[in-house]
Amino acid sequence: MLEMVVPLRDLGIFLLFAALMAALIYLTVALKKLSDFLSVANRVIAGNEKALEEIASNAADITGSMKKNTLNTEDVVPEILRNVHSITASVNNSVKNIDSSIATVGSGITQTVTAVKNSAGNIGTYITIAQEVAQIAMGLIKRARKRKKRI
């Protein structure tokens, strides 16, 4: 049998050398992975830089467009307010006319009823009164329809 004597010092150097080689291999693999990660990160950053440059260039266009829209709105809003005021005045006028018509009809009916009470006791007079009330109501309906068509 062959026996070999290995001094502890040589064994320690060998183990130290083996550990150093394993550490170098591990460090090489880690640095390779870090390099790959950094290259991906650089590509993402470059892509984001392009997107940010695009956004910055579009921001000027967007603000210019907003400024135009604001100027256009400044011209249109007073016109809209004038139109709203005109429509409001027209509706207010129509309501006043309807109110006066209702008051006139009410007054006419009251006068007719009073006249009938004072002067009539016969059914023919009541029929005449009913006809007058119906005519007044029809006149109001026709006026209201005409006003609706105008509005």
Side-chain angles (χ1 to χ4, degrees):
M1 265 211 218
L2 288 173
E3 285 188 27
M4 184 171 161
V5 178
V6 178
L8 283 176
R9 181 170 185 239
D10 290 342
L11 182 64
I13 292 174
F14 175 76
L15 290 176
L16 188 62
F17 179 74
L20 184 64
M21 289 304 280
L24 284 175
I25 291 172
Y26 178 77
L27 184 63
T28 305
V29 170
L31 288 176
K32 172 68 173 133
K33 286 184 179 182
L34 181 64
S35 172
D36 292 344
F37 173 76
L38 289 177
S39 66
V40 169
N42 281 337
R43 276 184 279 165
V44 169
I45 290 171
N48 286 342
E49 283 178 2
K50 288 178 185 175
L52 287 174
E53 288 172 2
E54 246 180 75
I55 290 171
S57 68
N58 288 341
D61 294 338
I62 291 170
T63 53
S65 176
M66 289 297 291
K67 186 176 181 180
K68 284 180 188 176
N69 289 340
T70 303
L71 292 175
N72 290 342
T73 304
E74 287 176 357
D75 294 340
V76 173
V77 168
E79 183 65 28
I80 291 172
L81 289 176
R82 280 192 292 275
N83 290 341
V84 168
H85 179 69
S86 173
I87 291 169
T88 305
S90 176
V91 169
N92 191 18
N93 237 359
S94 297
V95 169
K96 285 180 183 177
N97 289 340
I98 291 171
D99 187 40
S100 70
S101 297
I102 291 172
T104 303
V105 169
S107 171
I109 291 173
T110 304
Q111 289 174 358
T112 305
V113 169
T114 303
V116 168
K117 277 185 180 178
N118 292 336
S119 67
N122 106 23
I123 294 177
T125 307
Y126 287 111
I127 291 173
T128 305
I129 292 171
Q131 286 176 342
E132 287 179 9
V133 169
Q135 287 175 352
I136 291 171
M138 292 301 289
L140 281 175
I141 291 171
K142 286 180 183 177
R143 271 199 244 161
R145 285 184 182 167
K146 287 180 182 176
R147 286 190 184 128
K148 261 189 185 176
K149 288 181 182 176
R150 277 191 270 154
I151 294 175

